[in-house]
Amino acid sequence: MQPSLEKLHKYFNLEAKRRYDNHAVVGGLDKILQAWESDARADNLPEEMIRAVISTLDKYPSQQPEERVQTLKDLWQFIQTGRKGGVRPFQPAPNKSEANSSVPPPAVTRKQFPEPHQTRKTREILRHESLPVPPSRSFKKIIGTGDTGNLGLNAPLTVIQGIGPQIAKTLETLGLHNLRDLLYYFPRRYNDYSSLKPINRLVYGEVVTVIGTIQNVSTRQLPDRHLSLTEAILGDGTGSLRLTWFNQPWIANQLRPGMPISVSGKINQYLGRLMISNPAWDPIAQEQINTNRIVPVYRLTAGISQQRLGNIIKQFVSYGALQVDDYLPSTTRQAANLMGLSQALVQAHSPDSAEQLKAACERLAFDEIFMLQLGVLQQKLDWQSAVAKTYTMPEEWYQNQLSRLPYQLTGAQLKTMDEIRTDLASGHPMNRLIQGDVGSGKTVVAALAMSIIACSGAQAAFMAPTSILAEQHYRTLLRLLAANPEDNSEQPLDTTQIKLLLGDTPEAEKETIREGLADGTIKIVVGTHALIEDPISFSHLQLVVVDEQHRFGVEQRAALRLKGENPHLLVMTATPIPRSLALTVYGDLDLSVMDEMPAGRQIIETHILYPSERERAYSLIKSEVNQGHQAFIIYPLIEQGENEEVPAAVEEHARMQKEIFPHLQIGLLHGRLKPEEKDEVMKRFRDNQNAVLVSTSVVEVGVDVPNATVMLVEGANRFGLAQLHQFRGRVGRGDAKSYCLLIPENEGAAENERLYAMAETNDGFVLAQKDLEQRGPGDFLGTRQSGFAELEMATLSDIRLIEKARVQAQAIFNLDPYLVQPEHEQLAIKLKELWRKGKGDVS
């Protein structure tokens, strides 16, 4: 008998043993059809037989148990007839009276509600969603209890009945490869049906989940040609609720009258009627309305429905979670008042109550932060246990260097310098992060640190993310530290000891620099990633400075450090880092915060403009250019896509040059330009050859242009606060008054509290905290912790949880830093699993 029919025979026999409860396969017999059809065609089964199996099993879930007995019996008889005796007899089914007595009818069937569209897709949406059942004996054998050769939770998903190769491949796109992945594939949100409100009891301002039926749906263009509005009316018998989506016309094709859905969002009001703008929504099974429980909603991909994925996970988790060892020591669980891991996994996927769900999420989020804490603590110990050369300079020498600076350092700069001098004299490698706002004077501090190293006979390397920024730092170092040979100044170095090395540096000059680094005559070198390329070698590299550290990968920073022997490390970022993030992701680094701006730094006026007020922005730019100043105009996209109506840099550059500023020279900068082309554009703007620079976000970290006084950001609602603050920091660097103008995509987006926060404060740390709360860690992390799995349950703005996890991680670390004690064996295994690359940011 062909393998496809063998498989069908096995399913039918198991269904008979289970009294035709439609649980022989996870989710129901119809869930095998897609995979089985492929197998059947590979076995060259007759088309008539394939069609018969598909059409019969597609109806199977809607039948009563007594109907199913005859259905399977008739179908197998048809198959036997078609194969002329080549098929084993089907195991006799219990008689109807036996089936009736042992199998209660389902509480809800499709016959209890209307089916307006009898399509296969509709039937799948409205099919009864079964409650979890105890796993079958064969399923227990699959995940096992430690038998030799048993893969356990590492077994592939295809061991679950009903998941064939095709469905498994679909699930792989969601990152689901084995049984363990199912346990840790957490819902993206939940619909709480346990305390539903009817529409007529909704209150303005509350955030709710509402279920009902679509009454009508429509899409229309608004007077603004870039804006469309999709509107649907949701009813539940007590009232109606207006739902609106801007610029999402495809939603009208997904919703249809009579379709039951759940929607989540904030209740607003328009012309006296309640509404939700841009709600999240999901199609639901009609019987979910009466489930009186919290329903998980998972992230999906094409080829699998919410019901199907939910059923697969739900029926596996109740047993699979019991196979997971709780790696947290019992003392830690008790001290932190945490739920057990198995229980947390079950409750995360199938919560019994809001309280149980909260406790489960707390446990799972705690684990993520706790493991991250242990990892960075081990990194810090590795670093601190290394031996480094000590560097101290007399106080008189230090004060002389301060007196030579063109301005007086702020209190924050002086405090940071004290911390750096202590690090350099400690006998252990410095591992310090300086975080300071744009213009807070980080480069000056780095220059003083490098002068200590260079004047002691060693070498320092300064790595920047772009050629133009490296060139800017090079000029700053020359101005602060080097004297020309013909001068008689007392600067600590001369120009021959500070060099710039870029990718496009002429080869003859590169060779001279390489020789100077190898023999030690060059004390400070500034460059891009060219610094880490062979055959560059240093005579005595003792300090590595990395600017905008999140722009470099772990491997790049490690490659530069390896060119010295346990060199001191100083990394800098202009992105203010919230305290909660500094405690976790950067916990292995000593932190210096420069939150004080130098005297005379301009306060930048920030305004939010409606799209219809764009001409006001252009008028300001023209006025500033007439006074000899320059302007940036930032766009979120390089070019407009087919479905994009947001202004983009390439199209707008052409329009600006032709229609808005025809008499001005306008530059264009975006990510598709070659590095040398980007540098050329920025140099022309820096040298005032272009009055206006149209750019995408690549200008976020760029050259210092003191003459620029206007920063105009189009589509401002598409950027995070930290990024907008970076843009704003590109202007106001000279003596002239400067402006930052934010224009969102549409007038509705102008009512955006993130943008108002920009107008209310210039404090980057306040904005960074708001950005973290609203958008998550995002670019704060960059590629720094690429050795650690992504956080799924934890929120890095939850300072209370972070403090709790930090206390418990520190307690274990103090007792057993490398987790070698027997009681920490499981914890060590889990930590190694999460820190996949082992050492994260420490080479």
Side-chain angles (χ1 to χ4, degrees):
M1 185 164 63
Q2 292 95 328
S4 58
L5 293 181
E6 286 278 6
K7 189 178 294 186
L8 209 57
H9 185 267
K10 179 181 68 175
Y11 292 149
F12 287 8
N13 274 327
L14 184 57
E15 184 69 6
K17 292 176 183 177
R18 295 187 58 86
R19 305 297 193 207
Y20 303 92
D21 64 356
N22 198 28
H23 286 311
V25 175
V26 176
L29 269 185
D30 59 315
K31 297 300 185 289
I32 70 169
L33 291 177
Q34 189 173 12
W36 182 85
E37 182 178 355
S38 298
D39 295 341
R41 296 193 187 283
D43 290 342
N44 294 317
L45 294 188
E47 183 64 26
E48 183 182 11
M49 184 181 295
I50 295 174
R51 291 293 96 204
V53 171
I54 291 174
S55 61
T56 302
L57 294 188
D58 190 44
K59 301 174 184 176
Y60 188 81
S62 65
Q63 296 177 332
Q64 296 294 328
E66 59 271 20
E67 296 176 286
R68 294 172 180 168
V69 175
Q70 195 61 43
T71 293
L72 294 189
K73 187 175 181 179
D74 291 345
L75 178 57
W76 198 253
Q77 182 64 43
F78 173 81
I79 292 172
Q80 282 185 301
T81 302
R83 300 306 294 165
K84 298 183 185 293
V87 173
R88 293 198 305 272
F90 177 40
Q91 178 174 325
N95 59 42
K96 289 187 179 181
S97 61
E98 184 179 357
N100 286 333
S101 64
S102 60
V103 185
V108 181
T109 70
R110 289 192 305 157
K111 295 179 180 179
Q112 293 176 262
F113 52 87
E115 294 182 346
H117 299 284
Q118 290 296 318
T119 65
R120 186 170 178 177
K121 182 175 181 181
T122 302
R123 287 195 294 274
E124 182 177 354
I125 291 174
L126 298 179
R127 188 166 291 129
H128 178 64
E129 184 175 349
S130 310
L131 294 176
V133 297
S136 67
R137 188 173 304 168
S138 61
F139 190 64
K140 288 184 180 180
K141 184 178 179 181
I142 286 171
I143 57 179
T145 56
D147 296 339
T148 303
N150 197 320
L151 293 174
L153 293 177
N154 293 320
L157 296 179
T158 50
V159 301
I160 296 179
Q161 295 186 39
I163 298 184
Q166 189 168 350
I167 292 298
K169 189 173 182 180
T170 298
L171 294 176
E172 282 182 9
T173 64
L174 296 173
L176 301 174
H177 302 277
N178 56 41
L179 298 177
R180 190 182 305 278
D181 291 338
L182 283 182
L183 290 177
Y184 286 91
Y185 190 72
F186 299 120
R188 59 185 174 89
R189 62 183 177 86
Y190 298 85
N191 287 333
D192 188 356
Y193 298 140
S194 63
S195 56
L196 288 172
K197 271 189 175 183
I199 291 176
N200 66 351
R201 292 179 55 193
L202 297 177
V203 177
Y204 172 80
E206 65 181 343
V207 178
V208 296
T209 295
V210 180
I211 59 175
T213 303
I214 294 294
Q215 297 178 349
N216 60 65
V217 60
S218 62
T219 296
R220 69 178 189 274
Q221 290 295 126
L222 296 182
D224 185 333
R225 64 183 180 89
H226 294 306
L227 196 61
S228 66
L229 178 68
T230 299
E231 181 180 76
I233 303 300
L234 185 75
D236 69 350
T238 71
S240 60
L241 182 66
R242 183 171 176 249
L243 313 173
T244 60
W245 294 268
F246 287 99
N247 279 2
Q248 299 180 61
W250 58 86
I251 289 180
N253 297 324
Q254 298 173 340
L255 299 176
R256 62 182 182 277
M259 179 179 180
I261 69 169
S262 70
V263 298
S264 301
K266 185 176 182 179
I267 300 295
N268 290 310
Q269 215 167 19
Y270 179 74
L271 297 178
R273 293 184 61 188
L274 295 182
M275 63 170 293
I276 303 180
S277 295
N278 296 312
W281 69 276
D282 294 289
I284 62 170
Q286 179 77 22
E287 62 274 10
Q288 282 184 332
I289 294 175
N290 299 314
T291 57
N292 195 34
R293 65 189 180 93
I294 300 172
V295 177
V297 179
Y298 296 93
R299 182 170 53 87
L300 299 176
T301 189
I304 191 162
S305 68
Q306 189 68 236
Q307 271 81 9
R308 185 167 194 183
L309 180 58
N311 280 337
I312 290 172
I313 294 176
K314 183 171 58 179
Q315 297 203 42
F316 167 70
V317 165
S318 59
Y319 183 78
L322 301 178
Q323 310 306 309
V324 176
D325 294 322
D326 199 331
Y327 41 78
L328 277 188
S330 58
T331 52
T332 301
R333 293 201 303 272
Q334 292 169 5
N337 192 26
L338 297 171
M339 177 183 281
L341 181 57
S342 293
Q343 185 184 1
L345 290 170
V346 171
Q347 291 298 320
H349 291 286
S350 187
D352 293 329
S353 66
E355 293 73 21
Q356 289 288 294
L357 176 59
K358 181 180 179 182
C361 291
E362 168 107 351
R363 165 61 202 269
L364 297 169
F366 175 93
D367 283 13
E368 292 180 343
I369 299 295
F370 177 81
M371 291 298 186
L372 182 51
Q373 288 289 298
L374 278 180
V376 296
L377 285 171
Q378 286 186 354
Q379 284 183 298
K380 191 166 189 176
L381 182 62
D382 287 345
W383 192 264
Q384 290 176 335
S385 62
V387 177
K389 295 191 183 313
T390 60
Y391 292 92
T392 58
M393 299 299 285
E395 183 65 23
E396 181 181 359
W397 179 92
Y398 176 59
Q399 292 301 326
N400 283 339
Q401 303 315 308
L402 295 181
S403 66
R404 292 190 182 101
L405 296 175
Y407 38 77
Q408 187 174 352
L409 295 188
T410 65
Q413 287 173 309
L414 291 171
K415 181 176 182 292
T416 299
M417 274 309 305
D418 288 343
E419 292 167 340
I420 290 173
R421 292 172 67 197
T422 299
D423 290 343
L424 294 177
S426 69
H428 301 288
M430 174 171 66
N431 195 29
R432 183 166 295 278
L433 168 66
I434 300 178
Q435 58 162 320
D437 220 336
V438 174
S440 61
K442 298 182 295 297
T443 305
V444 177
V445 170
L448 288 171
M450 287 188 285
S451 70
I452 293 174
I453 297 296
C455 291
S456 300
Q459 295 170 299
F462 192 131
M463 188 162 67
T466 64
S467 296
I468 196 72
L469 194 55
E471 186 178 341
Q472 178 177 301
H473 287 313
Y474 171 66
R475 292 197 308 271
T476 300
L477 294 179
L478 287 178
R479 187 174 72 251
L480 296 177
L481 302 180
N484 288 314
E486 60 269 18
D487 295 340
N488 293 320
S489 65
E490 298 180 6
Q491 291 287 47
L493 303 169
D494 64 57
T495 54
T496 64
Q497 294 175 302
I498 304 176
K499 292 296 181 181
L500 176 67
L501 181 62
L502 305 174
D504 60 357
T505 300
E507 187 56 39
E509 188 178 346
K510 279 184 180 178
E511 181 59 32
T512 301
I513 293 174
R514 285 195 286 260
E515 291 174 359
L517 292 174
D519 64 24
T521 56
I522 294 177
K523 300 301 182 186
I524 295 176
V525 62
V526 183
T528 57
H529 57 83
L531 294 178
I532 62 179
E533 296 172 356
D534 291 329
I536 292 174
S537 62
F538 291 80
S539 170
H540 193 36
L541 178 62
Q542 284 296 290
L543 174 62
V544 171
V545 179
V546 181
D547 189 28
E548 294 301 335
Q549 61 84 29
H550 65 285
R551 301 289 285 266
F552 293 101
V554 170
E555 295 80 8
Q556 290 173 304
R557 292 191 294 272
L560 183 55
R561 287 198 301 269
L562 287 173
K563 291 185 178 290
E565 183 179 350
N566 287 339
H568 297 279
L569 175 67
L570 185 64
V571 296
M572 307 190 300
T573 180
T575 302
I577 302 169
R579 179 171 175 268
S580 58
L581 204 59
L583 285 172
T584 50
V585 179
Y586 297 97
D588 59 320
L589 295 171
D590 295 314
L591 186 65
S592 293
V593 178
M594 290 173 50
D595 53 1
E596 186 179 351
M597 300 301 285
R601 177 80 165 149
Q602 292 282 332
I603 297 297
I604 303 163
E605 276 192 24
T606 303
H607 301 278
I608 303 170
L609 301 180
Y610 289 102
S612 58
E613 298 176 297
R614 196 172 274 115
E615 286 299 326
R616 292 177 56 194
Y618 297 157
S619 296
L620 177 62
I621 291 174
K622 291 175 183 176
S623 174
E624 289 295 306
V625 170
N626 288 338
Q627 297 176 50
H629 299 140
Q630 295 166 272
F632 292 92
I633 304 179
I634 308 297
Y635 292 93
L637 303 174
I638 297 177
E639 294 179 297
Q640 284 187 339
E642 290 184 8
N643 297 320
E644 289 285 357
E645 298 186 2
V646 182
V650 172
E651 290 87 354
E652 288 299 295
H653 172 262
R655 186 178 73 87
M656 294 273 177
Q657 189 68 80
K658 182 179 179 181
E659 301 176 12
I660 310 300
F661 307 114
H663 305 299
L664 301 179
Q665 291 295 318
I666 305 178
L668 175 63
L669 181 69
H670 56 72
R672 291 182 190 163
L673 297 178
K674 297 177 181 178
E676 57 270 21
E677 293 174 329
K678 293 179 188 176
D679 289 346
E680 180 59 30
V681 172
M682 286 304 302
K683 286 176 182 176
R684 289 178 59 83
F685 188 62
R686 180 194 66 196
D687 298 338
N688 204 5
Q689 296 178 39
N690 290 331
V692 177
L693 179 64
V694 170
S695 175
T696 58
S697 60
V698 295
V699 82
E700 178 184 344
V701 177
V703 69
D704 187 5
V705 186
N707 194 45
T709 58
V710 180
M711 171 60 70
L712 170 60
V713 183
E714 290 275 6
N717 54 292
R718 291 200 173 204
F719 297 104
L721 284 175
Q723 198 170 25
L724 290 173
H725 187 60
Q726 289 279 326
F727 294 151
R728 179 165 61 183
R730 294 298 104 209
V731 298
R733 304 177 73 86
D735 298 329
K737 186 173 183 59
S738 297
Y739 307 87
C740 178
L741 309 177
L742 307 175
I743 302 181
E745 293 175 53
N746 53 66
E747 294 194 4
E751 307 296 328
N752 190 314
E753 63 181 70
R754 290 194 307 107
L755 301 187
Y756 281 115
M758 284 289 296
E760 291 169 358
T761 181
N762 274 267
D763 189 327
F765 289 94
V766 172
L767 295 173
Q769 182 61 37
K770 285 182 177 291
D771 211 22
L772 179 62
E773 292 169 359
Q774 295 171 0
R775 288 165 62 94
D779 289 339
F780 288 118
L781 297 178
T783 54
R784 170 173 163 70
Q785 299 294 352
S786 61
F788 187 80
E790 290 183 8
L791 303 178
E792 293 188 38
M793 299 297 283
T795 302
L796 288 177
S797 57
D798 189 347
I799 295 179
R800 181 197 62 81
L801 181 65
I802 288 171
E803 293 282 8
K804 179 196 279 192
R806 184 172 178 80
V807 167
Q808 297 304 324
Q810 190 71 60
I812 285 184
F813 184 78
N814 291 342
L815 292 173
D816 185 14
Y818 289 107
L819 306 178
V820 296
Q821 296 178 10
E823 62 268 29
H824 296 148
E825 180 182 358
Q826 291 297 324
L827 186 58
I829 293 172
K830 186 64 176 178
L831 186 65
K832 185 176 181 180
E833 173 191 325
L834 292 177
W835 285 79
R836 292 187 297 267
K837 295 181 182 177
K839 288 292 185 180
D841 200 34
V842 173
S843 59

